[in-house]
C-alpha cells in the first residue's frame, strides 16, 4: 500500500482501529470497497472519511463488513459438494479403513455465516454411519459472521440448493426461518482466526475447504495461507478452493489436481 497519501493514511488508520491488517489484501480491491462505502454515505474525500471513522464505530463495522464480503449459501455452487460426497468421501473412507481409523476432520477456512461448514457436516452425515467420529473446524475473521453461524438460524433463500428431504432431515422450521438441528450443529466448532496473520490450526485435516476467500489476498498472503494448508493437511488430504480461483504454479509440487473444474486438489 502507498503510505503517506490520504488513501494510505486511511488504510493504516482502518487497520489500527479494526485490528485487521488491510495491507494483506490487494490494494485495488481495498480501494474499490472503500470507494463503494464512501459513495453510499456521500463522503467525498479519503481524509474526511478517515476523520469520520475515528469517531463512528458503526461506519467502521460497515466498512469492515464490506471488505470481508460474507456472501455464501448452503452447498454453494452445488457440484463441488456433490463431488466431495460422491468421489472424495469414498476415497477418504477407504484410506481410513486401511489405517484402522474412524476419525475424520475437516477445516472450513473463511466459513462466513456457517453455511459452508454445515453443508460439509450434512455431507459427512449423509455418507458415514454412527461408527465414525466426524468433526468440522470452522474459522473466520469476522465476529458477526461467527455469531450468526453459532446460532445456526437461516433465511429460506440460503437453503435454495437443498432439496426438501435434506431440509426436513437437518433443519427445524422456526418462525419462517430454518434452524440447523443440534446433532449437526454439535459437529461444528467455530473459532475466530485470521488466515493471513495467524499460524494455521494445529491439527491434521482430511480436507480443507477454503472457498472464495483467497480472492481477496495478495500473492504473498496466498502463498502463506497455502503453505499453512499444506502443513495442516494429513497425507492424502484434500484442498477445495472456489470455482473462480486458481493455485499459483509454484504449488504444483504440493497440490495435485483431482478435478480442475471443481477445484479440488490432493496434497502431494
Ligand atoms: C465470500 S465469503 C466465503 C464463504 C464461504 N467459504 C463460501 O465460499 O461460501 C469470504 C469469507 O472470508 C472471510 N475472510 C476474509 N478475510 C479473512 C482472513 N484474513 N481470515 C479469515 N477469514 C477471512 C470473510 O470474513 C468472509 O466470511
Amino acid at each position: 500500500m502507498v503510505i503517506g497519501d490520504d488513501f494510505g493514511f486511511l488504510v493504516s488508520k482502518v487497520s489500527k482501529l479494526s485490528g485487521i491488517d488491510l495491507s494483506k489484501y490487494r490494494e485495488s480491491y481495498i480501494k474499490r470497497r472503500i470507494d463503494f462505502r464512501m459513495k453510499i454515505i456521500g463522503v467525498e474525500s479519503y481524509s474526511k472519511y478517515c476523520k469520520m471513522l475515528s469517531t463512528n464505530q458503526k461506519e467502521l463495522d460497515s466498512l469492515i463488513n464490506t471488505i470481508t464480503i460474507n456472501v455464501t449459501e448452503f452447498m454453494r455452487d452445488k457440484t463441488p459438494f456433490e463431488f466431495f460426497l460422491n468421489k472424495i468421501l469414498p476415497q477418504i473412507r477407504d484410506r481410513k479403513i486401511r489405517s484402522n481409523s474412524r476419525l475424520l476432520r475437516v477445516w472450513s477456512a473463511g466459513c462466513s455465516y456457517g453455511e459452508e461448514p454445515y453443508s460439509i457436516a450434512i455431507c459427512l452425515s449423509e455418507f458415514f454411519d454412527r461408527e465414525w467420529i466426524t468433526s468440522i473446524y470452522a474459522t473466520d475473521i469476522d465476529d458477526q459472521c461467527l455469531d450468526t453461524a453459532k446460532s445456526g438460524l437461516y433465511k429460506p433463500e440460503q437453503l435454495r440448493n437443498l432439496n426438501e428431504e435434506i431440509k426436513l432431515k437437518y433443519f427445524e422450521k422456526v418462525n419462517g426461518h430454518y434452524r440447523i438441528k443440534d446433532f449437526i450443529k454439535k459437529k461444528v466448532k467455530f473459532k475466530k482466526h485470521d488466515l493471513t496473520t495467524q499460524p494455521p490450526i494445529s491439527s491434521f485435516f482430511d480436507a480443507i475447504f477454503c472457498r472464495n476467500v483467497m480472492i481477496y489476498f495478495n500473492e504473498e498472503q496466498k502463498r502463506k495461507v497455502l503453505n499453512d494448508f499444506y502443513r495442516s493437511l494429513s497425507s492424502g488430504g484434500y484442498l477445495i478452493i472456489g470455482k473462480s480461483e486458481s493455485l499459483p504454479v509454484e504449488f504444483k509440487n504440493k497440490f495435485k489436481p483431482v478435478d480442475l473444474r471443481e477445484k479440488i486438489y490432493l496434497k502431494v
Side-chain angles (χ1 to χ4, degrees), residues 128-193:
F128 291 104
D129 62 29
R130 280 159 190 267
E131 275 181 37
W132 289 75
I133 300 170
T134 59
S135 59
I136 294 117
Y137 215 82
T139 61
D140 203 282
I141 197 174
D142 188 323
D143 285 315
Q144 268 173 289
C145 280
L146 291 169
D147 286 346
T148 304
K150 284 178 204 161
S151 78
L153 198 63
Y154 297 98
K155 289 187 188 141
E157 26 317 354
Q158 295 302 104
L159 283 73
R160 70 191 170 118
N161 287 334
L162 306 183
N163 64 34
E164 285 310 312
E165 190 191 333
I166 294 286
K167 283 184 199 166
L168 209 67
K169 200 162 159 190
Y170 296 103
F171 296 85
E172 306 164 320
K173 261 193 143 175
V174 185
N175 301 328
H177 282 58
Y178 286 86
R179 180 160 42 219
I180 194 93
K181 287 189 181 170
D182 269 351
F183 78 99
I184 278 291
K185 207 172 175 189
K186 272 194 211 139
K187 288 184 185 292
V188 186
K189 250 196 202 88
F190 290 100
K191 196 173 185 289
K192 184 169 182 171
H193 177 262

Side-chain angles (χ1 to χ4, degrees), residues 20 24-25 64 67-73 76-77 108-113 115-117 139-142 145 193-197 209-217 242:
I20 295 173
K24 308 295 179 200
Y25 292 78
I64 293 302
I67 289 170
T68 60
I69 308 176
N70 311 116
V71 176
T72 186
E73 62 183 339
R76 182 174 185 179
D77 303 325
S108 165
C111 66
S112 190
Y113 295 111
E115 288 89 331
E116 180 179 279
T139 61
D140 203 282
I141 197 174
D142 188 323
C145 280
H193 177 262
D194 182 346
L195 288 163
T196 61
T197 55
F209 283 68
C210 186
R211 306 193 65 230
N212 312 300
V213 181
M214 285 185 283
I215 27 171
Y216 310 121
F217 298 166

Side-chain angles (χ1 to χ4, degrees), residues 14-135:
V14 174
S15 292
K16 240 181 251 155
L17 290 172
S18 66
I20 295 173
D21 186 356
L22 297 186
S23 68
K24 308 295 179 200
Y25 292 78
R26 263 190 268 130
E27 184 176 336
S28 56
Y29 171 74
I30 295 293
K31 187 168 178 313
R32 254 185 294 132
R33 304 315 294 168
I34 288 178
D35 290 350
F36 172 74
R37 264 318 300 168
M38 284 171 54
K39 202 170 163 199
I40 287 181
I41 56 165
V43 176
E44 275 145 24
S45 77
Y46 292 130
S47 60
K48 273 191 192 152
Y49 192 47
C50 193
K51 268 190 209 130
M52 179 185 197
L53 288 174
S54 309
T55 53
N56 189 335
Q57 181 66 39
K58 220 171 149 211
E59 179 51 31
L60 181 67
D61 289 345
S62 301
L63 175 64
I64 293 302
N65 253 335
T66 307
I67 289 170
T68 60
I69 308 176
N70 311 116
V71 176
T72 186
E73 62 183 339
F74 280 89
M75 309 282 179
R76 182 174 185 179
D77 303 325
K78 248 177 152 180
T79 52
F81 287 91
E82 286 165 0
F83 197 94
F84 179 66
L85 178 64
N86 299 319
K87 299 271 179 11
I88 302 295
L89 288 183
Q91 292 187 31
I92 295 180
R93 176 199 54 204
D94 294 350
R95 184 166 53 80
K96 292 275 166 179
I97 289 174
R98 282 198 300 275
S99 60
N100 226 353
S101 162
R102 295 286 184 282
L103 209 73
L104 199 126
R105 278 192 213 96
V106 180
W107 179 9
S108 165
C111 66
S112 190
Y113 295 111
E115 288 89 331
E116 180 179 279
Y118 288 134
S119 300
I120 299 166
I122 290 172
C123 289
L124 298 181
S125 174
E126 286 292 293
F127 188 80
F128 291 104
D129 62 29
R130 280 159 190 267
E131 275 181 37
W132 289 75
I133 300 170
T134 59
S135 59

